């Protein structure tokens, strides 16, 4: 279980850090192509679904005048939430100077970017008239939360691209001398790395820039998710009109985001034999982050339900009753079990703190948090505002195809990303974990030279 | 001033890195004016943004500032300020208003711009509640529309410009009365002579946009009554006008303010502060014989 503490000897027998990091770039086995094919197929079905929706309008969905927002909105909250988790894992670990961070920052940043790029499509996919989306720029009503959403998400995309791109400068510079890569790729990397030579000045500048973006991304992501929650809480609708919604969405975002970082890290560790770097200690540490967020999310859920349920204003009580005891209760209790209890149990029992269990808990959290977003959105809509019947909603195949296609798109983007850039942050690991002390050059350049 | 001074001094302190300090000093000297400009710009935009941010709470301002009477306070100078009075004592829930409205606007049968809800009152009595656009003076739907596609007409009705609406349905989320409908599917055929584009009258409805009761703005402009008023055989729906202080159900004409005062009217969800312009005469669950 504890191969973790075994000293990592940089002897010749072990593949070097850089060699491991470029493995996915130079090697694509049957597994890679199989996963890529499935992801592409799923994304393709999603594209077909969207084509159908464009052709015939939103009538092809299961939405109606009462439940007018459904799984598209749940998906956009979930995917952009994933992104926040990725960005925050990278930023917070950097700010608290966690020594093991370099091993997962690249995966976290790439996950943040991939989920954000796909997630940002859903605000457009959900529109009845997507071709008019730019009107939000040309005749904005600044009182509208939708306008705030657009501004926040656009800013966040820029910040996430920077967060992903900055640390790459050093790595691409290092890899432009790596013999395993072809001459054209190396030339391209040299060009992309802005003349990175690993001088002490360059390293200091990069370090400072990384700190700045890490500090910036935290409030920015808080703003994005708070504003996303405003699309719901700035209405008078029972079940939505709640002050807890901002923090609720922010915590939920990081929570599910950490889970997807864990899953991605485990997948790459297994597929490319990266256990030396993404060891059980790293996964366990991420598991502790996950469990802390599980408790925090459980707390906001509890306080929301208690404040509504204790007073039980008629409309609030109706929504809550449907959620906890009636038509939505199987989903709600499933959320509690998989979304809150499972990660706590896994991390509380020492024997269960293994990659497999933590991965299972993360998968549970991802499913449960998706369910939770649906439970936040749909029951409040289904509740009649004045009179009449309770609304019903079941997503159509078009909606399911598009959402699944989004998931396929994320996988595909991640696969392509790690064909193009190293999966481990070579430079950063070298800097923090101090492999090689030569000041003028990054440690990993030395590592490369040792092995070649 | 300071950085320049420092620049002159640095060459004297020679300890291996004189060039760097002077470079920093020089950069500082060059950066200073730009910093100042940035600071002024930041200050100015902060001011502007604060001003704009206050606009985000217009309802708060208006609620705090006004002693709004129960009359159309929107002082737009329009010749009329429309309102509706619905006499629940007369409504028998037949749904003729809904059908008349659908015929007028060429709506599909599942699109109801005026819905008639069967209700039960506090003592178990049954009554029917017709709900059309409440013409809120502080309309949440108007506030949340990202592209200003939905807005007040000067005489009170709230309309949707379906050539602008992006179909985000934020207005449907914001409306406390659930009166907005979405055009999920293409609307029914409209006879060629009757098609019309524009916020006052849109036929057929445009796919992928939001539609709603427009208080028959195109009819009242021409001096005619809204379709729900004319199609109600029970004469339960009155169109009122705060400017002339009159209301009519198509047969009888009453003084609006007097009628409201004498009949103990109420409005839906008054606690939300939306200031609706649709008044209900309580039905007490009983059919009133007349």
């Amino acid at each position: 279980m504890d191969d973790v503490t075994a000293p990592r000897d940089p002897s010749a027998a072990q593949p070097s850090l850089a060699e491991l990091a470029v493995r996915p770039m130079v090697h694509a086995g049957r597994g890679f192509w199989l996963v890529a094919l499935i992801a592409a197929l799923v994304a393709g079905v999603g594209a077909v679904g969207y084509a159908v929706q464009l052709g015939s309008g939103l009538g092809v969905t299961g939405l109606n005048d009462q439940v007018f927002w459904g799984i598209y909105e749940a998906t956009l909250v979930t995917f952009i939430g994933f992104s926040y988790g990725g960005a925050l894992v990278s930023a917070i670990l950097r700010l608290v100077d966690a020594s093991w961070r370099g091993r997962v920052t690249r995966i976290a940043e790439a996950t943040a970017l991939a989920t954000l790029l796909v997630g940002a499509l859903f605000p457009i996919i959900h529109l009845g008239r997507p071709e008019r989306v730019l009107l939000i720029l040309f005749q904005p009503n600044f009182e509208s939360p939708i306008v705030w959403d657009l501004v926040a998400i656009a800013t966040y995309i820029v910040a996430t691209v920077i967060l992903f791109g900055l640390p790459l400068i050093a790595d691409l510079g290092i890899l432009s001398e790596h013999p395993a890569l072809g001459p054209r790729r190396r030339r391209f990397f040299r060009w992309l790395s802005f003349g990175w030579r690993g001088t002490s000045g360059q390293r200091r500048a990069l370090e400072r820039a990384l700190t700045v973006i890490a500090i910036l991304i935290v409030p920015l992501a808080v703003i994005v998710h708070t504003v996303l929650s405003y699309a719901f809480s700035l209405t008078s609708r029972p079940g939505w009109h709640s002050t807890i919604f901002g923090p609720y969405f922010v915590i939920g975002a990081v929570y599910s985001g950490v889970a997807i970082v864990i899953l991605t890290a485990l997948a790459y560790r297994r597929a490319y034999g990266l256990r030396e770097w993404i060891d059980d200690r790293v996964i366990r540490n991420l598991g502790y982050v996950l469990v802390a967020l599980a408790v925090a999310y459980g707390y906001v859920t509890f306080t929301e339900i208690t404040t509504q349920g204790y007073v039980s204003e008629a409309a609030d009580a109706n929504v809550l009753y449907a959620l906890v005891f009636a038509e939505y209760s199987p989903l709600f209790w499933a959320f509690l079990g998989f979304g809150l209890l499972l990660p706590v149990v896994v991390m509380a029992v020492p024997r269960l703190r293994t990659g497999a269990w933590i991965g299972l808990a993360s998968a549970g959290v991802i499913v449960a948090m998706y369910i939770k977003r649906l439970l936040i959105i749909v029951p409040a809509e289904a509740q009649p505002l004045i009179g009449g019947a309770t609304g019903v909603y079941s997503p159509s195949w078009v909606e399911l195809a598009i959402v699944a296609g989004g998931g396929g798109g994320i996988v595909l983007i991640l696969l392509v990303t790690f064909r193009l850039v190293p999966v481990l942050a070579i430079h950063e690991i070298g800097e923090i974990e101090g492999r090689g002390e030569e000041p003028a050059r990054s440690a990993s350049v030395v590592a490369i030279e040792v092995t070649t | 001033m300071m950085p320049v001074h420092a620049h002159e001094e640095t060459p004297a302190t020679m300890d291996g890195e004189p060039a760097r300090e002077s470079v920093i000093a020089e950069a500082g000297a060059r950066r200073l004016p730009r910093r100042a400009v940035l600071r002024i710009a930041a200050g100015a935009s902060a001011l502007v943004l604060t001003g704009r941010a206050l606009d985000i709470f217009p309802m708060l301002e208006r609620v705090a500032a006004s002693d709004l009477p129960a009359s159309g306070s929107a002082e737009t100078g329009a010749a009329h300020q429309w309102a509706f009075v619905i006499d629940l004592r007369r409504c028998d829930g037949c749904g003729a208003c809904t059908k008349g409205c659908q015929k007028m606007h060429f709506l599909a049968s599942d699109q109801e711009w005026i819905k008639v809800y069967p209700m039960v009152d506090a003592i178990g009595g049954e009554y029917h509640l017709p709900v059309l656009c409440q013409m809120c003076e502080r309309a949440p739907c108007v506030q949340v529309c990202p592209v200003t596609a939905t807005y007040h007409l000067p005489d009170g009705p709230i309309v949707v410009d379906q050539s602008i609406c992006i179909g985000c349905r934020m207005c449907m989320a914001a409306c406390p009365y659930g009166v907005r409908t979405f055009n999920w599917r293409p609307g029914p055929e409209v006879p060629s002579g009757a098609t019309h584009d524009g916020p006052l009258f849109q036929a057929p409805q445009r796919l992928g946009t939001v539609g709603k009761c427009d208080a028959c703005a195109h009819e009242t402009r021409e001096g005619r009554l809204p379709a729900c008023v004319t199609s109600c055989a029970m004469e339960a729906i009155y169109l009122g006008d705060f400017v002339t202080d009159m209301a009519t159900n198509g047969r009888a004409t009453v003084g609006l303010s007097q009628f409201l005062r004498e009949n103990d009217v109420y409005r839906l969800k008054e606690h939300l502060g939306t200031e609706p312009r649709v008044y209900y005469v309580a039905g007490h669950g009983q059919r009133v014989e007349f």
Side-chain angles (χ1 to χ4, degrees), chain A residues 129-171:
Chain A
R129 286 287 189 158
E131 77 276 14
R132 294 178 182 168
V133 66
L134 288 181
L135 280 178
I136 301 180
L137 290 181
F138 295 130
Q139 47 181 67
N141 168 20
F142 286 107
E143 281 183 44
S144 167
I146 303 280
V147 172
W148 310 343
D149 266 340
L150 182 89
V151 174
I153 294 175
T155 316
Y156 185 57
I157 289 178
V158 173
T160 307
V161 167
I162 295 173
L163 182 78
F164 175 72
L166 267 183
L168 269 181
I169 293 175
D171 279 8

Side-chain angles (χ1 to χ4, degrees), chain B residues 115-252:
Chain B
K115 295 186 179 72
V116 184
Y117 294 111
M119 306 289 280
V120 178
D121 69 15
I123 52 167
E126 291 175 9
Y127 67 103
H128 295 90
L129 185 72
V131 176
L132 69 173
C133 174
Q134 304 289 300
M135 295 203 289
C136 308
E137 290 181 358
R138 303 185 185 118
C141 56
V142 171
Q143 195 185 17
V144 300
C145 177
V147 293
T148 61
T150 191
Y151 53 90
H152 281 103
L153 294 179
D155 49 0
I158 295 163
V159 294
V160 179
D161 188 339
Q162 293 188 348
S163 68
I164 292 174
C165 172
I166 61 172
C168 70
R169 315 193 281 295
M170 187 68 218
C171 54
M172 300 176 73
C175 175
Y177 306 101
V179 300
R180 287 176 166 256
T181 62
F182 191 80
N183 292 302
W184 303 102
R185 289 163 202 86
E189 290 279 310
V190 173
S192 57
T195 59
H196 191 269
D197 275 340
L200 290 195
F201 188 68
Q202 181 70 48
Q205 289 286 297
R206 292 201 187 188
L207 180 68
T209 65
V210 168
K212 65 178 288 295
C213 161
D214 50 14
C216 282
H218 57 294
E219 291 293 288
T220 53
R221 273 189 190 203
E222 304 296 328
R224 291 188 292 267
L225 290 170
C228 53
V229 176
T230 57
S231 56
C232 178
M234 303 304 288
E235 296 159 5
I237 306 178
Y238 291 78
L239 177 74
D241 173 19
F242 286 112
V243 177
T244 56
D245 198 20
M246 305 229 273
T248 177
N249 58 6
R251 184 171 300 181

Side-chain angles (χ1 to χ4, degrees), chain A residues 48-99:
Chain A
V48 171
Y50 190 55
V52 169
Q53 179 176 308
L54 276 183
S56 343
L58 285 176
V60 297
T61 66
L63 299 166
N64 51 69
D65 284 345
Q66 231 170 322
V67 183
F68 47 85
W69 286 346
I71 62 172
Y72 293 156
E73 292 72 18
T75 307
L76 97 85
V77 173
T78 304
F79 284 6
I80 296 180
F82 285 161
S83 164
Y84 184 24
L88 216 67
V89 165
S90 160
I92 297 276
L93 294 185
R94 190 165 279 140
L95 292 176
V96 301
D97 205 16
S99 63

Side-chain angles (χ1 to χ4, degrees), chain B:
Chain B
M1 284 293 142
M2 276 306 287
V4 177
H5 182 62
H7 174 46
E8 283 166 359
E9 246 180 30
T10 25
T13 60
M14 302 284 282
D15 65 330
E17 284 192 340
R20 219 187 74 194
E21 274 198 53
S22 66
V23 164
I24 291 169
E26 245 175 38
R30 269 202 308 273
R31 222 181 284 146
L32 197 64
R34 194 174 59 185
R35 282 258 165 99
V37 170
L38 283 177
R39 219 168 276 152
I40 292 168
S45 42
L47 268 180
V48 171
L49 283 178
T50 316
R52 289 259 25 149
L54 290 180
D55 283 358
I56 290 163
F57 305 106
M59 299 206 179
L60 211 57
E61 285 173 38
R62 271 179 270 164
V63 169
S66 77
D67 50 342
L68 273 179
S71 70
S73 72
E75 285 156 5
T76 59
H80 301 281
Q81 289 297 337
W82 301 120
F84 283 95
V85 188
I86 298 180
D87 191 340
L88 297 180
R89 295 170 301 190
R90 295 189 175 196
C91 176
D92 64 354
C94 71
C97 52
T98 310
K99 291 195 185 67
C101 168
Q102 287 171 333
K103 195 173 164 216
M104 167 69 81
H105 295 96
F106 301 99
L107 301 179
S109 59
D110 60 345
Q111 285 198 312
E112 299 184 343
W113 284 3
I114 175 167
K115 295 186 179 72
V116 184
Y117 294 111
M119 306 289 280
V120 178
D121 69 15
I123 52 167
E126 291 175 9
Y127 67 103
H128 295 90
L129 185 72
V131 176
L132 69 173
C133 174
Q134 304 289 300
M135 295 203 289
C136 308
E137 290 181 358
R138 303 185 185 118
C141 56
V142 171
Q143 195 185 17
V144 300
C145 177
V147 293
T148 61
T150 191
Y151 53 90
H152 281 103
L153 294 179
D155 49 0
I158 295 163
V159 294
V160 179
D161 188 339
Q162 293 188 348
S163 68
I164 292 174
C165 172
I166 61 172
C168 70
R169 315 193 281 295
M170 187 68 218
C171 54
M172 300 176 73
C175 175
Y177 306 101
V179 300
R180 287 176 166 256
T181 62
F182 191 80
N183 292 302
W184 303 102
R185 289 163 202 86
E189 290 279 310
V190 173
S192 57
T195 59
H196 191 269
D197 275 340
L200 290 195
F201 188 68
Q202 181 70 48
Q205 289 286 297
R206 292 201 187 188
L207 180 68
T209 65
V210 168
K212 65 178 288 295
C213 161
D214 50 14
C216 282
H218 57 294
E219 291 293 288
T220 53
R221 273 189 190 203
E222 304 296 328
R224 291 188 292 267
L225 290 170
C228 53
V229 176
T230 57
S231 56
C232 178
M234 303 304 288
E235 296 159 5
I237 306 178
Y238 291 78
L239 177 74
D241 173 19
F242 286 112
V243 177
T244 56
D245 198 20
M246 305 229 273
T248 177
N249 58 6
R251 184 171 300 181
T253 299
V254 295
L256 175 60
S257 49
Q258 188 186 354
F259 191 72
L260 295 180
R261 214 169 28 246
E262 286 174 356
N263 285 297
D264 265 348
V265 292
Y266 71 100
R267 297 181 294 179
L268 299 181
K269 305 193 181 188
E270 293 224 40
H271 64 278
L272 294 178
T274 51
E275 297 293 345
R277 277 208 208 169
V278 177
Y279 299 84
Y280 291 91
V281 179
H284 311 299
Q286 291 139 23
R287 289 276 304 280
V288 173
E289 305 297 331
F290 56 95

Side-chain angles (χ1 to χ4, degrees), chain A residues 369-412:
Chain A
M369 286 304 289
Y370 191 78
I371 291 174
K372 186 66 169 70
R373 268 69 176 247
L374 275 175
L375 292 178
I376 288 175
I377 295 172
V378 175
E381 293 175 281
Q383 195 56 46
L385 287 169
I386 291 180
T390 305
V392 287
Y393 167 66
S394 61
S396 71
W397 76 265
V398 172
E399 286 169 283
L400 294 171
I402 293 176
V403 168
I410 291 175
V411 173
L412 213 51

Side-chain angles (χ1 to χ4, degrees), chain A residues 305 318-330 332-333 375 379:
Chain A
I305 288 180
N318 286 339
V319 178
L320 207 55
Y321 187 82
L323 186 67
V324 182
F325 298 117
E327 56 257 47
Y328 301 101
S329 60
F332 177 76
W333 293 101
L375 292 178

Side-chain angles (χ1 to χ4, degrees), chain A residues 13-45:
Chain A
Q14 294 271 14
S16 78
L17 166 61
E19 218 166 89
L20 281 173
V22 298
R23 249 186 204 174
M25 301 170 68
V26 294
H27 176 76
R30 289 234 312 268
F32 175 89
W33 290 113
L34 188 68
V35 175
L37 184 71
I38 293 171
L41 276 178
V42 174
V45 172

